[in-house]
Amino acid sequence: MNELQAILNLISSALLGDLASFLAPRLIIAKDNTASTDGRTWIRLPEEFLGIRLGETRSVQVFIGLLAHEVGHWLQPLKAITAVEQKTGIHHDILNIVLDVHLEHCVQVIFPLFAAPLEVVREVVRSAHKLDYEKGYKGAGNFLVAADCALLFGRFCVNSSLSFGSPYALIQRKSTRNRKIDENRMNELVERVDSVVSYSCAGLPGFIEQMAIDFPEICQPTTSLEKNNPLDILKSGGDGLDIVRELLQDLKIGTDQASACVIEERICGHNPASAETLAVSRQLQKRWDVARGCGVIMAPGRLNRLSAVRGDPMPFTMPAPIKGRQAPQTKVVLVVDWSGSMNVNNSAPWKSALQAAQAIALAIRSTGGDVRAAIFAEHLWHAPNFSADVLFAASLGSISLHEARGDDTDFSWLPQVWQAFPDYSVVLLTDGNGYPPKAILPSGRKRTSAVLLQVRKNLPQNVAQVEATIQSFASSFVHVDKLSELAAAWALMIPRRIQ
């Protein structure tokens, strides 16, 4: 229970930023059949889901997945969707499947680390109900019942890694074919539902209304269907979590371009910091140093000559101990562009970037901070726990760190870094334009900054485009034209510790 509440608090913080402490939804454990939410103030999780009880070892991923599923409803305009349901008469079970397909796709994009728990939930449902969906489709007496079974089969039994997969095999398979059903019509409906993931949250009401118009067969709200969807409960108390949808009003999640992979590899070899890098590190260290004392007090210690001249009875002082809150620890994730364009002039840009990252990492470590690191191009690569030791290694898996050889530049790994390190600053260095993330949370953008290396020199015609891409996911950036200025500029992007 405490772990799940902590995860819910983390989600709220990511979505709401500074408003999280005022609008934190409550987590309730109840004797219900499945999870549910009112869309804005609470989430209810069952004590048991399809035979798996909360608290069992295998239950962790299942209940995190249920929690992530319900969070997805916060993004949806539930009041407007309810109005469409009442206006068109679209059957609630079909509507709920459409909403679930959309929200689970969105959640996996916004919070990539929840992809695995959602997949586990789908696998659990598949194990429990796959035969029910097959028998239900084969024996369906009308299009609505068959559609319900076919769409549920697509939800849970085709590809558990996706929120929906085409149930074409179910429709065409001899053992489950239903001669009463128009297969072409069913495939048209399946294709329509599959396309919902390309719509924004704000576009959902229009999508549902048009689907109801084009498929009147699914608009029979009084028809009773078997309850074979264990996630078919949505208790809407309002129009979703309004503030979340306002923050994400421009969020559009499509499937036209795959997200970059986040790949963990082992480091090998050693690339020690040079004497020049160590000197730069010592200079940068001052940025994150914090005074160990604050003022002085009268106590046995050093002689205060002015007090002695005045004849004070206690002419000795010592540093006053720090009381109250300590200065916050510097926490940062450094991400270096490893694309091939960093490999010009005998790899000068890449070598300078790596040396600058080494200097910053050493400086932050020496002042008690926590620094993590990764490299990126078409994907993001990191050592276990995003260890900054990668900056001092000769290779990362099969990747040589002596030169940059990446094929492309892609920033769509950012949401996973934001989620993995919710209280860290993310500072990246890149020399060109790339694919932005599909989902950009304001809370993540706020703590992200970038250094643009020699963009004005090497890509003068693309400066505006590069800046626009970076500004979409980073709150600040700085141009660096000289490699000698790289370390200082990069350090400037990392917040100072409070003195």
Side-chain angles (χ1 to χ4, degrees):
M1 171 65 178
N2 292 337
E3 180 183 11
L4 292 171
Q5 182 63 61
I7 292 173
L8 180 57
N9 293 342
L10 178 63
I11 296 171
S12 300
S13 177
L15 290 173
L16 301 173
D18 296 336
L19 297 175
S21 59
F22 300 98
L23 299 171
R26 295 178 296 117
L27 177 63
I28 302 169
I29 305 298
K31 294 182 181 297
D32 295 339
N33 293 326
T34 187
S36 61
T37 180
D38 69 344
R40 59 178 184 176
T41 59
W42 53 258
I43 287 177
R44 293 168 67 97
L45 295 183
E47 294 180 346
E48 181 177 327
F49 180 75
L50 296 180
I52 300 176
R53 290 192 61 82
L54 180 62
E56 295 179 9
T57 302
R58 62 174 180 160
S59 73
V60 176
Q61 290 288 294
V62 172
F63 283 86
I64 291 177
L66 292 175
L67 178 62
H69 176 94
E70 297 307 319
V71 166
H73 282 301
W74 296 358
L75 308 176
Q76 298 175 328
L78 303 180
K79 187 178 294 184
I81 290 170
T82 300
V84 171
E85 180 181 6
Q86 295 172 347
K87 175 183 177 181
T88 63
I90 186 171
H91 198 283
H92 177 76
D93 289 30
I94 303 297
L95 171 63
N96 197 82
I97 293 171
V98 174
L99 295 181
D100 289 353
V101 169
H102 182 270
L103 73 86
E104 288 193 5
H105 176 79
C106 289
V107 168
Q108 289 183 199
V109 173
I110 299 172
F111 298 107
L113 296 183
F114 288 139
L118 286 170
E119 183 174 349
V120 171
V121 171
R122 291 191 283 264
E123 290 173 348
V124 169
V125 176
R126 180 187 61 195
S127 297
H129 287 296
K130 182 179 180 181
L131 291 178
D132 296 330
Y133 303 149
E134 292 175 342
K135 292 178 181 178
Y137 183 81
K138 182 179 181 179
N142 58 57
F143 187 88
L144 175 61
V145 175
D148 186 53
C149 293
L151 295 179
L152 288 172
F153 190 92
R155 273 277 289 128
F156 301 110
C157 307
V158 176
N159 186 346
S160 297
S161 66
L162 302 176
S163 65
F164 189 77
S166 175
Y168 180 79
L170 174 74
I171 298 170
Q172 298 294 327
R173 193 187 310 154
K174 288 184 178 180
S175 61
T176 54
R177 292 184 76 171
N178 189 326
R179 299 297 181 181
K180 301 176 183 178
I181 306 303
D182 184 338
E183 293 179 356
N184 292 330
R185 186 68 171 159
M186 185 64 68
N187 283 323
E188 290 176 3
L189 175 63
V190 165
E191 291 176 1
R192 182 68 63 87
V193 173
D194 193 31
S195 70
V196 72
V197 298
S198 64
Y199 283 74
S200 68
C201 297
L204 272 176
F207 173 89
I208 293 167
E209 183 170 3
Q210 189 60 53
M211 188 175 74
I213 293 172
D214 295 341
F215 296 91
E217 308 97 312
I218 61 174
C219 299
Q220 303 174 39
T222 59
T223 301
S224 176
L225 298 177
E226 288 190 40
K227 294 299 180 182
N228 287 327
N229 183 0
L231 299 178
D232 185 25
I233 290 185
L234 177 61
K235 300 176 180 178
S236 174
D239 197 14
L241 198 55
D242 297 337
I243 186 65
V244 172
R245 293 192 302 100
E246 289 177 9
L247 290 172
L248 304 179
Q249 60 184 343
D250 296 325
L251 177 64
K252 291 185 178 181
I253 300 174
T255 56
D256 53 332
Q257 185 241 327
S259 295
C261 296
V262 177
I263 304 168
E264 180 178 307
E265 299 281 7
R266 294 286 177 179
I267 59 175
C268 184
H270 192 50
N271 178 26
S274 65
E276 180 184 1
T277 300
L278 293 174
V280 173
S281 176
R282 285 190 290 270
Q283 294 175 350
L284 297 178
Q285 181 178 333
K286 300 174 183 178
R287 178 172 180 80
W288 300 290
D289 265 331
V290 176
R292 297 185 181 277
C294 182
V296 295
I297 60 174
M298 288 190 297
R302 297 182 61 181
L303 173 66
N304 186 316
R305 295 179 180 178
L306 183 59
S307 296
V309 169
R310 289 199 302 259
D312 292 343
M314 178 63 77
F316 299 94
T317 60
M318 64 179 294
I322 298 176
K323 296 182 179 181
R325 294 184 60 187
Q326 300 290 313
Q329 181 187 35
T330 300
K331 296 181 178 181
V332 62
V333 181
L334 301 176
V335 192
V336 194
D337 191 336
W338 186 75
S339 60
S341 55
M342 295 282 285
N343 203 38
V344 298
N345 299 326
N346 295 319
S347 298
W350 169 250
K351 292 177 181 177
S352 295
L354 202 56
Q355 290 173 352
Q358 287 180 338
I360 293 170
L362 291 172
I364 293 177
R365 282 177 170 177
S366 66
T367 57
D370 184 10
V371 58
R372 311 297 178 97
I375 65 172
F376 76 98
E378 67 272 22
H379 301 300
L380 181 86
W381 295 270
H382 65 91
N385 299 316
F386 280 77
S387 171
D389 291 343
V390 67
L391 302 174
F392 304 88
S395 61
L396 179 62
S398 61
I399 294 174
S400 171
L401 298 179
H402 292 298
E403 57 186 4
R405 291 293 185 184
D407 293 333
D408 208 344
T409 305
D410 195 326
F411 304 108
S412 61
W413 42 265
L414 262 171
Q416 186 156 334
V417 173
W418 287 336
Q419 187 183 358
F421 299 96
D423 56 348
Y424 282 62
S425 297
V426 179
V427 187
L428 58 92
L429 179 146
T430 183
D431 69 342
N433 202 16
Y435 301 106
K438 292 181 181 179
I440 301 171
L441 292 176
S443 60
R445 180 182 181 276
K446 182 179 180 180
R447 53 192 176 88
T448 302
S449 54
V451 174
L452 303 182
L453 179 59
Q454 297 184 329
V455 172
R456 293 181 296 200
K457 174 183 176 182
N458 297 331
L459 299 170
Q461 71 280 9
N462 292 341
V463 171
Q465 182 180 355
V466 172
E467 290 182 348
T469 298
I470 297 298
Q471 284 182 313
S472 70
F473 60 77
S475 60
S476 60
F477 67 87
V478 62
H479 282 279
V480 174
D481 297 320
K482 297 180 180 179
L483 296 179
S484 59
E485 300 173 350
L486 185 55
W490 207 353
L492 186 65
M493 296 288 97
I494 303 172
R496 297 175 64 94
R497 298 177 71 181
I498 300 175
Q499 302 295 320

